[in-house]
Every structure is written in structure tokens, then in C-alpha cells.
């Protein structure tokens, strides 16, 4: 098993899975220390969940073929072994495990609980810049990962020798400028390699103006905050300083998305409101951005042949197949949106209350 933080690309990969002959297991574990204070207690909770799921979806299910039951048994055992021998919580607050062949057993994976976590603690690059410092870090899973280090003690910076004061100052200024250019070039490389994320610059007052002058216009536009930190600040302390800028930027994105959605719905244009319109649009591949309130629930229906979804019981308009009842309407909307390369946004605001907690901005 491999572990990763939640990303939109990761959800797209999971959304594309559908078991043809066996089953898919989705297991969500809350790692809040008040609920699971130790690894041992976490393992005990997980084993209880797995035992319950095995009884509900294993030998007692007459509709499952023998090989499917055997596969489920092996997967439940593998999950139990993982928590007993391999699992390392390492500061995580939650874990979702997906296995092929409330543990949930179905023909697809349960993804909607992960949508509010997309990009949380991720997606920002931090440049720590000084006259000799030049670190570039990526914020991933709420932690920093160093991408590049252009920190250097430039020869000649600390020895004036026989130079005049003015000549020495010009020399130091040139060294500083070259250093800032080197850091800016590295930042630009990382910026493009990581898909143009937002940037927070940590620099002292004496450095900020000079470093800003060497940034390209594209990097300038990507900077969402300038701040300072102690020269010996740990990565954890840097995280506490940087996170408010990221949170404020994400809140702005949410505000803009909700405002755009309200405008489109208000003029009866590229917007859907409520379950019926949104599931239909998602089934047609028209959703550009799916918006829903975190935790919203709704029963819905899915065509077992083509996967099309609807809010009420009906036959599929494409192939005439009778749609099957599902208790995971939000998951249907999420998977269909991902399947057609749409984006997802779980909102904390109450703007979606009048439309049952779900809506979308449409492509057409």
C-alpha cells in the first residue's frame, strides 16, 4: 500500500475505477487524538469495523459469487495486516483506504468525504529569501517539503579588505542582486514544474523590495503574501506564518465561485441548482465546477449500464435501463464530474441551502 495526501488528480484516478466482477472497499478512519489516541487503539477500532463489514458483505451475502467472497476475505485480512504492521499515523488527522476485489463495499469507491480536503494544506510554494538565504519549499499535506536550496555564503561579502566604503557597498549590492536573481530563477522553475501554484515570500524588509524587483510579472501575480520570520524559524513555525495567507486565498476563491454560480443561476444561464438539474448536467458532462455543502446527503438513482444519474426513479434516457436506487447521490455527482474533467468545491457557506446543498457552474 502507498499513502498520499488528497488531490484532485488522485480523486480522478479513483473515480475511474469500477469493479466488474468483484467489489471495492472504502474505509475511512478518524485519527483525531481524542478518538484514536494511540496506534493500538486505532488498530482495535479498525478491526472492529472490518469484522462488521466482513459479516455484512462476506459469507452472509447470497448474491456474491464464491470467488468474490474469497477476494473480499483476502482484502479484509490485508487491510487488518496493514494497520497491525505497516500503518504510521505520523501526525495525520484522518486516513482513507481503498482496496479492490464504515467500511463500504460496492462496485466503486466512496469519494465524496475527501472533497472538502482537496488542496487543504497543499498547493502553495514558499520562498524563504535573505541576502544569503534562498530556500524554496512546497506545502504538501500541511507540511513543508524542500524543493531547492540556493542558500550560499558569497565569497567576499564579509571582508572589505582595502576597498573604499562606496566601492565595497556596490560590490555587496551586486552580490545581493545576483543571489536574488538566482533564487528567483529557481522559484520560476519550481513554479512552472508544479503547475503554477500560489507563492508566499518570507523575507525581511531590507530584502523584500530588492527581491520583488527581480521577479517576473507572472511570479508577481502568483504571490499571495509577503511576510517575515526569524532567521532560525523551524519549518513548523514557517507553516504557522504561511497558512493564514493560503486560507485567505482559498476563501477568496470560494467567494468568487459562489458569486459566479449565483449570477449564472440568476440569469438562467450556465448554472444548475438542486439535485435534479445538477445530476442531469453531470451525467451530460456539462459541469465545469460542482459546488456542494460539505456533508450534504441525498438518495439518487444510477443506470447500471452507463452510469448516468438521476434524482428520481426512472429509466435511463439513453438505453432504457431501469435505474437502480443508491444512497450516495453526492458520490454519483462527484464521480460524474471527475469523469468529464470537471472540478469540485465543498463550501462552508450557506448559499446552497435553498437548493438542497448542491449546484454547479456549467460549460454549456
Amino acid at each position: 500500500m502507498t499513502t498520499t495526501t488528497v488531490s484532485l488528480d488522485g480523486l480522478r484516478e479513483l473515480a475511474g475505477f469500477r469493479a466488474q466482477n468483484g467489489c471495492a472497499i472504502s474505509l475511512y478512519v478518524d485519527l483525531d487524538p481524542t478518538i484514536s489516541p494511540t496506534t493500538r487503539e486505532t488498530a482495535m477500532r479498525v478491526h472492529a469495523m472490518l469484522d462488521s463489514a466482513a459479516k455484512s458483505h462476506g459469507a452472509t451475502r447470497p448474491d456474491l459469487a464464491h470467488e468474490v467472497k474469497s477476494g473480499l476475505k483476502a482484502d479484509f485480512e490485508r487491510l487488518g495486516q496493514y494497520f497491525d504492521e505497516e500503518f504510521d499515523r505520523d501526525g495525520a488527522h484522518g486516513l482513507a483506504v481503498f482496496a479492490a476485489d464504515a467500511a463500504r463495499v460496492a462496485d466503486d469507491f466512496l469519494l465524496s468525504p475527501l472533497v472538502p480536503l482537496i488542496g487543504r494544506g497543499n498547493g502553495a510554494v514558499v520562498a524563504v529569501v535573505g541576502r544569503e538565504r534562498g530556500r524554496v519549499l512546497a506545502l504538501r499535506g500541511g507540511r513543508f517539503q524542500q524543493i531547492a536550496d540556493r542558500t550560499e555564503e558569497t565569497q567576499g561579502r564579509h571582508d572589505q579588505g582595502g576597498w573604499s566604503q562606496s566601492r565595497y557597498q556596490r560590490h555587496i549590492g551586486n552580490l545581493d542582486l545576483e543571489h536574488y536573481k538566482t533564487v528567483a530563477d529557481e522559484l520560476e522553475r519550481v513554479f512552472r514544474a508544479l503547475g503554477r501554484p500560489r507563492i508566499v515570500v518570507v523575507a525581511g524588509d531590507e530584502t523584500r523590495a530588492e527581491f520583488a524587483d527581480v521577479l517576473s510579472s507572472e511570479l508577481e501575480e502568483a504571490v499571495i503574501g509577503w511576510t517575515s520570520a526569524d532567521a532560525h524559524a523551524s519549518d513548523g513555525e514557517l507553516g504557522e506564518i504561511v497558512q493564514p495567507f493560503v486560507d485567505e486565498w482559498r476563501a477568496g476563491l470560494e467567494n468568487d465561485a459562489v458569486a459566479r454560480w449565483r449570477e449564472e443561476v440568476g440569469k438562467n444561464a450556465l448554472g444548475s441548482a438542486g439535485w435534479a438539474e445538477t445530476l442531469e448536467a453531470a451525467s451530460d458532462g456539462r459541469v465545469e465546477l460542482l459546488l456542494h455543502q460539505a456533508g450534504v446527503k441525498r438518495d439518487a438513482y444510477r443506470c447500471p449500464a452507463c452510469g448516468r444519474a438521476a434524482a428520481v426513479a426512472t429509466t435511463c434516457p439513453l438505453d432504457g435501463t431501469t435505474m437502480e436506487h443508491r444512497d450516495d447521490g453526492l458520490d454519483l455527482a462527484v464521480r460524474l464530474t471527475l469523469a468529464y474533467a470537471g472540478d469540485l468545491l465543498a463550501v462552508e457557506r450557506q448559499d446552497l441551502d435553498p437548493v438542497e446543498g448542491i449546484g454547479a457552474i456549467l460549460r454549456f
Side-chain angles (χ1 to χ4, degrees):
M1 290 187 185
T2 59
T3 59
T4 185
T5 54
V6 180
S7 70
L8 191 60
D9 288 341
L11 288 193
R12 290 196 201 284
E13 183 178 352
L14 290 170
F17 177 86
R18 188 171 177 183
Q20 299 300 318
N21 300 312
C23 295
I25 302 173
S26 304
L27 175 68
Y28 285 84
V29 185
D30 190 343
L31 298 179
D32 187 317
T34 62
I35 299 174
S36 305
T38 66
T39 299
R40 181 175 178 275
E41 291 186 15
T42 299
M44 291 174 61
R45 288 180 55 235
V46 168
H47 278 290
M49 295 169 65
L50 293 176
D51 288 344
S52 175
K55 293 176 181 177
S56 300
H57 301 282
T60 61
R61 285 276 301 272
D63 57 320
L64 296 181
H66 174 72
E67 59 270 20
V68 175
K69 293 179 181 179
S70 298
L72 276 174
K73 179 181 179 182
D75 281 340
F76 283 130
E77 291 175 351
R78 183 161 61 96
L79 287 169
Q81 183 180 16
Y82 168 73
F83 279 93
D84 286 339
E85 301 175 5
E86 304 172 47
F87 172 60
D88 179 7
R89 65 192 299 159
D90 192 24
H93 292 284
L95 179 72
V97 182
F98 302 95
D101 211 59
R104 171 189 183 262
V105 179
D107 63 351
D108 49 23
F109 292 129
L110 181 66
L111 303 180
S112 55
L114 298 179
V115 176
L117 305 179
I118 294 175
R120 183 174 295 177
N122 296 307
V125 165
V126 178
V128 183
V129 187
R131 284 188 165 181
E132 296 180 354
R133 291 191 299 167
R135 300 174 67 207
V136 180
L137 309 101
L139 188 59
R140 295 174 176 169
R143 301 174 187 174
F144 281 119
Q145 176 181 340
Q146 183 162 294
I147 305 297
D149 189 355
R150 291 294 178 263
T151 299
E152 54 187 350
E153 182 174 332
T154 308
Q155 186 176 3
R157 184 186 295 276
H158 303 292
D159 182 13
Q160 182 172 343
W163 293 13
S164 67
Q165 183 65 27
S166 59
R167 184 184 175 197
Y168 176 69
Q169 291 298 332
R170 287 196 300 273
H171 169 66
I172 294 300
N174 289 334
L175 292 178
D176 290 346
L177 181 61
E178 290 304 312
H179 171 64
Y180 296 146
K181 287 181 178 178
T182 297
V183 177
D185 288 344
E186 189 62 45
L187 181 59
E188 181 112 30
R189 182 190 67 79
V190 171
F191 174 72
R192 297 186 183 282
L194 296 183
R196 293 171 168 76
R198 301 302 91 186
I199 299 169
V200 177
V201 181
V202 179
D205 293 339
E206 73 285 355
T207 300
R208 175 173 175 173
E210 294 174 304
F211 186 64
D213 285 342
V214 300
L215 294 178
S216 67
S217 58
E218 192 173 10
L219 285 183
E220 276 191 297
E221 293 176 1
V223 173
I224 58 174
W226 292 81
T227 186
S228 59
D230 184 83
H232 303 291
S234 66
D235 286 355
E237 291 169 332
L238 285 176
E240 293 179 0
I241 295 170
V242 166
Q243 193 62 50
F245 292 97
V246 179
D247 292 342
E248 182 179 357
W249 173 70
R250 294 193 186 284
L253 288 183
E254 180 177 314
N255 291 339
D256 292 344
V258 171
R260 183 185 166 198
W261 169 76
R262 295 182 69 172
E263 179 182 359
E264 295 294 347
V265 170
K267 63 186 183 183
N268 197 26
L270 297 178
S272 69
W275 288 94
E277 291 182 7
T278 303
L279 287 175
E280 180 180 8
S283 297
D284 292 336
R286 293 187 286 124
V287 172
E288 175 186 322
L289 176 65
L290 178 71
L291 299 96
H292 70 85
Q293 289 178 338
V296 67
K297 296 181 179 180
R298 172 68 143 77
D299 286 6
Y301 296 83
R302 186 189 74 173
C303 174
C306 69
R308 189 176 183 85
V312 296
T314 184
T315 57
C316 179
L318 300 184
D319 52 41
T321 305
T322 300
M323 289 190 166
E324 297 177 341
H325 174 262
R326 298 285 294 242
D327 62 0
D328 56 355
L330 179 57
D331 241 57
L332 295 180
V334 165
R335 279 194 297 275
L336 287 166
T337 299
L338 292 171
Y340 290 102
D343 290 328
L344 308 167
L345 180 62
V347 300
E348 299 295 333
R349 302 165 46 138
Q350 304 304 308
D351 301 73
L352 300 174
D353 274 352
V355 294
E356 301 178 281
I358 195 167
I361 297 172
L362 308 179
R363 298 188 178 103
F364 57 90

